[in-house]
Amino acid sequence: MTSGALDDVLIQRLVAAERIACEGLLAERVDQGTWVGQLSTSALSTATATLAIDLYIRSGGANGQAESLGRLVEAGRDWLLAHQNDDGGWGDTVLSFSNISTTMLAHATLTAVAVPESAVVAEQRTLVLERAARYIERVGGVDAVLARYGRDRTFSVPILTHCALAGLVDWRRVIPLPFELAAVPHRFFKTLRLPVVSYALPALIAIGLVRFHARRPRNPLVRMVRWLVGGRVLRVLESIQPSNGGFLEAAPLTSFVTMSLVGCGLVDHAVTRRGIDFLADSVREDGSWPIDSNLATWVTTLSANALGERLSGDAREPVRGWLLGQQYREVHPYTNADPGGWSWTDLPGGVPDVDDTPGAVLALLGGSGAELEEVAESVKAAADWLLSVQNRDGGWPTFCRGWGTLPFDRSSSDITAHTLRALMATAARLPLERERFDDAIRRGFNFLRRQQRDDGAWVPLWFGNQHANDEQNPVYGTARVLAAWRAAGLEADTSAVRGREWLAGVQNFDGGWGGDADTPSSVEETALAVEALLERVPGEAEGTWTGLIDERSDPKNAEKQLAGGIEWLIDRVETGTWTKSSPIGFYFARLWYFEKLYPLIFTVAALRRACLVAGVAERSPTEKRPAGT
């Protein structure tokens, strides 16, 4: 696209909208010059945290906290009563469709909690529970929960455990978890084929224990082994609990662990007390809980990379310093990950992952300061770690290499594409062994070729769309993968061409994009698609990566479509609706969230790129200008 593809009026509107968007994103910084954002409130988190605290109080663990904790239970109950959907269920966010998982959790919590209530509240609770029971029966109850997650027990077993502790599900329906495997040295986990994903080890231990406590296995050998290792796995659980008590900074995971230990009679255990403290500290003013504390590292790197030179000089220095301070320098006790990675958050419950680490690398190498020795050392350590966790299939997983075959442990297209961009940027900017990078990058692109659907799209792991088939979001996935092809200078590769053609082909008639064909347009998805379809900025890629390209087609000219997408975004900025978030994020499997900063970040990235490609970009609003200019 060139400036000739846009008329003069649209060019003027583009420049003005880009300035508004950049200033809006910059205004979201906290005092230290980084971003924290705000995750959506979660009915699922609220239901699990409320029940965990209630069970803790009723088991006598509250001591002098009974009154204050009781108020949290009451507020959580009231929030759930006020946020039931019209169909009788609850969704994961206030913008989400009802689902069986969150509805069963909320129904169980509202059935079980024992706090004072007025006659009006009691009547309301009765009506809400009746509607919820009808929804659960209509959708399929326990069988529907098990079917929703298949052989992945990461979430289905905790849900049923929650309901069993509330007295609504027979313990026989709760599938036992082999918690004794947590006593095996960590290095053997990848060979054990655990029934839960790598980051759910606390749930494997605590929920396995409470299921064993409630219903012992018939096999005497299994019964004896599990009885003997109980103390050892509890020590493992205590050793991986963060200092603030929150496992992965997640209210649901921490709640499942806490209520399970209470159910075992371990109400005074250190893990239980710290878990309750975390829940009490992370509740919001309206009595609800978010799905996680924050995505501070993730949104900071996304923001810095979207702003580009708009975040220059003094404004980039605190971001760089903060990111350098967040890099893990030692083996992580939770996943046993080697040093070099970043988490999604700056809080104690985070663990290094293979999506935030590339984001941090790209942010450190962008703008001024990339030449500093401390940046070079940091980026080299990150690249070493990323290379070490590449899977045999050539792709990259989220946390740990080779842990298993469950979805959130397998290689994924969006994370692989993000990692490829970071490795290519590292190899281009730092004097490292190019041959070592070449092999990993070549294998990564070959993985992406194999993952591409027949229609040309790629499906991501950590993002979805509730309006789309199978709740997938191929617009997000395809846009993220196309960014890697462009960074390599491989826009003419057959896979890249097919991806662009698919992405252009699912644009809505209104000019925007949803998560797939025939889904409502959103700010996030439209911005992602526009940015992905725009041409490479001159000088952006340092040549092509030999041996990767398959030139059998030419890029499709879609300037008219792009102009429509750009205008769609401009309209949202001009009407003030560009900050409206959509629930497109996945936390645990099929657990939705939305993030306040996503529409801002993605809009800035798209409009900023449109200005650069059209040759109408302005300098940074954070750049110091001479007096009188």
Side-chain angles (χ1 to χ4, degrees), residues 183-206:
V184 176
H186 195 283
R187 64 182 179 274
F188 296 114
F189 280 5
K190 67 180 63 176
T191 65
L192 294 177
R193 301 299 180 187
L194 298 178
V196 298
V197 295
S198 55
Y199 54 78
L201 187 60
L204 174 75
I205 296 171

Side-chain angles (χ1 to χ4, degrees), residues 560-577:
K560 186 175 181 180
Q561 284 184 293
L562 270 176
I566 292 169
E567 187 168 12
W568 190 97
L569 286 174
I570 292 172
D571 286 341
R572 286 355 181 237
V573 174
E574 291 174 343
T575 59
T577 57

Side-chain angles (χ1 to χ4, degrees), residues 93-373:
T93 78
V94 294
L95 301 177
S96 299
F97 300 153
S98 297
N99 65 70
I100 185 60
S101 305
T102 303
T103 301
M104 285 190 66
L105 291 169
H107 177 258
T109 296
L110 291 174
T111 300
V113 292
V115 288
E117 58 187 8
S118 65
V120 173
V121 172
E123 182 179 1
Q124 181 187 12
R125 182 157 69 139
T126 298
L127 294 174
V128 165
L129 287 173
E130 288 175 352
R131 296 175 62 214
R134 288 195 294 270
Y135 176 92
I136 292 169
E137 182 179 3
R138 183 169 69 250
V139 175
V142 172
D143 292 334
V145 170
L146 294 172
R148 181 173 173 82
Y149 302 103
R151 64 189 183 89
D152 184 355
R153 308 303 186 197
T154 304
F155 210 47
S156 59
V157 174
I159 291 168
L160 298 182
T161 298
H162 175 111
C163 295
L165 288 168
L168 295 184
V169 168
D170 192 297
W171 281 106
R172 287 176 294 184
R173 299 302 308 273
V174 181
I175 299 170
L177 293 179
F179 64 89
E180 66 275 11
L181 296 180
V184 176
H186 195 283
R187 64 182 179 274
F188 296 114
F189 280 5
K190 67 180 63 176
T191 65
L192 294 177
R193 301 299 180 187
L194 298 178
V196 298
V197 295
S198 55
Y199 54 78
L201 187 60
L204 174 75
I205 296 171
I207 292 174
L209 283 169
V210 74
R211 172 61 169 78
F212 177 72
H213 178 81
R215 188 174 179 82
R216 302 295 171 93
R218 293 181 179 179
N219 187 314
L221 179 60
V222 173
R223 189 163 60 243
M224 181 180 68
V225 169
R226 291 182 176 175
W227 180 80
L228 289 173
V229 302
R232 183 171 179 179
V233 297
L234 278 172
R235 289 191 293 274
V236 171
L237 183 63
E238 188 170 4
S239 71
I240 63 176
Q241 187 176 32
S243 57
N244 67 350
F247 291 100
L248 298 184
E249 294 299 323
L253 179 57
T254 305
S255 299
F256 287 138
V257 170
T258 303
M259 69 175 70
S260 296
L261 295 184
V262 170
C264 293
L266 298 172
V267 69
D268 292 322
H269 196 278
V271 173
T272 309
R273 294 196 303 270
R274 287 199 293 263
I276 290 294
D277 289 343
F278 171 80
L279 295 175
D281 291 340
S282 57
V283 68
R284 289 184 168 164
E285 291 185 2
D286 64 356
S288 67
W289 277 264
I291 201 64
D292 202 87
S293 298
N294 68 52
L295 304 179
T297 305
W298 178 240
V299 295
T300 292
T301 60
L302 286 178
S303 298
N305 292 327
L307 287 161
E309 68 274 20
R310 284 285 198 177
L311 189 71
S312 63
D314 294 341
R316 189 170 286 274
E317 289 180 11
V319 173
R320 182 175 62 249
W322 184 81
L323 284 175
L324 290 172
Q326 297 305 318
Q327 188 175 26
Y328 290 98
R329 307 288 182 172
E330 299 177 352
V331 173
H332 198 280
Y334 192 109
T335 57
N336 223 32
D338 289 332
W342 277 266
S343 167
W344 61 91
T345 180
D346 58 338
L347 298 173
V351 299
D353 69 84
V354 192
D355 206 9
D356 290 284
T357 299
V361 168
L362 292 170
L364 288 172
L365 291 177
S368 61
E371 70 287 349
L372 296 175
E373 183 178 352

Side-chain angles (χ1 to χ4, degrees), residues 472-496:
Q472 294 180 337
N473 196 326
V475 164
Y476 180 96
T478 304
R480 287 316 198 198
V481 172
L482 287 175
W485 292 105
R486 182 171 62 204
L490 301 179
E491 296 95 326
D493 185 272
T494 301
S495 288

Side-chain angles (χ1 to χ4, degrees), residues 15-29 35 303 306-311 573 578 600 603-605 607-609 611 618-622:
V15 171
E18 187 264 355
R19 185 187 304 114
I20 292 170
C22 288
E23 290 174 351
L25 181 56
L26 287 166
E28 291 292 332
R29 289 174 294 177
W35 288 262
S303 298
L307 287 161
E309 68 274 20
R310 284 285 198 177
L311 189 71
V573 174
W578 68 291
L600 282 70
T603 298
V604 166
L607 296 182
R608 185 74 187 139
R609 187 170 197 86
C611 285
E618 291 186 351
R619 59 181 169 177
S620 169
T622 64

Side-chain angles (χ1 to χ4, degrees), residues 36-60:
V36 174
Q38 185 179 65
L39 284 162
S40 54
T41 283
S42 165
L44 184 144
S45 294
T46 303
T48 56
T50 300
L51 182 63
I53 296 172
D54 181 68
L55 292 173
Y56 182 72
I57 295 171
R58 285 192 277 146
S59 296

Side-chain angles (χ1 to χ4, degrees), residues 97 453 463-475 502 514-520 525 586 590 592:
F97 300 153
R453 296 192 320 198
F463 287 83
N465 185 293
Q466 61 182 351
H467 299 279
N469 292 332
D470 299 324
E471 299 179 332
Q472 294 180 337
N473 196 326
V475 164
W502 179 87
D516 201 345
D518 302 321
T519 58
E525 289 145 341
F586 279 145
R590 298 201 176 196
W592 300 90

